[in-house]
Amino acid sequence: MTTQKTATGNPFFDFDVTKAFAHFDPAKYAGEFAKFADRYNVPGFDVTAVLEAQRRNVEALIAANQAATEGVQALAKRQSEIFQQSLDAGKKAFAKLGKAGSPQDTAANQAKIAKEVFEKAIANAGELTALVSKANAEAAEVITGRIAEGLDEIKEQAETLK
């Protein structure tokens, strides 16, 4: 198995959702659907409106996937930054411990460092949780918005059949 080099060195940062759907051809499926609908000749059934609705559904899915991907990228980037900050803080902490004089000073420094590490970990966890929540909300907003539009479209179609 070979891995491709990417601009950032991390394949998650360079992911393009549109490339994942490059093989998907809505026009091909639209043509097949139109042929199928023509065979049954349902009065008042607007094939073009249905195809347009499906096109918007696919666009919404792509937009939701893009939002989710961007959220994962932001999360991975921030986790990497937090990891680097933790390494730097660890180096500084070990340097301080080496300079402590008495056993009491060493114990006090260890307790202080442990408290700082714990507080920073809690803050980082909160920040990462907020990033995940934001990404989920953005993706869900796209999908729920499209569902609401789709239901309105169905209602309009049903009213034209009366």
Side-chain angles (χ1 to χ4, degrees):
M1 183 175 119
T2 60
T3 57
Q4 282 185 326
K5 291 283 186 181
T6 60
T8 63
N10 186 325
F12 295 107
F13 292 153
D14 294 321
F15 182 73
D16 183 1
V17 173
T18 57
K19 289 180 183 175
F21 286 96
H23 68 282
F24 178 72
D25 182 11
K28 175 184 169 191
Y29 296 107
E32 292 299 317
F33 181 76
K35 287 179 197 173
F36 177 78
D38 285 342
R39 268 190 251 154
Y40 294 101
N41 238 352
V42 177
F45 184 73
D46 187 353
V47 174
T48 306
V50 171
L51 295 175
E52 182 62 22
Q54 291 305 325
R55 183 191 60 75
R56 288 191 297 273
N57 290 345
V58 170
E59 287 175 354
L61 285 174
I62 290 171
N65 283 331
Q66 184 66 39
T69 300
E70 289 170 1
V72 169
Q73 290 172 341
L75 180 66
K77 182 180 180 198
R78 186 61 188 126
Q79 284 176 324
S80 176
E81 293 168 355
I82 289 170
F83 181 69
Q84 187 60 52
Q85 290 169 355
S86 297
L87 289 177
D88 294 344
K91 287 180 192 176
K92 290 177 185 175
F94 280 117
K96 284 181 184 177
L97 286 177
K99 294 178 183 175
S102 69
Q104 293 84 0
D105 290 341
T106 301
N109 280 339
Q110 285 175 340
K112 179 182 172 192
I113 290 168
K115 181 181 177 189
E116 290 170 358
V117 167
F118 178 74
E119 289 171 347
K120 187 66 176 170
I122 295 297
N124 288 339
E127 181 183 351
L128 294 176
T129 300
L131 281 172
V132 169
S133 295
K134 180 182 176 212
N136 287 340
E138 289 172 356
E141 184 178 330
V142 171
I143 296 297
T144 55
R146 180 61 200 131
I147 289 171
E149 289 173 3
L151 292 173
D152 287 342
E153 292 164 0
I154 291 169
K155 179 182 172 190
E156 288 171 15
Q157 281 293 317
E159 288 173 354
T160 61
L161 294 176
K162 287 182 182 179

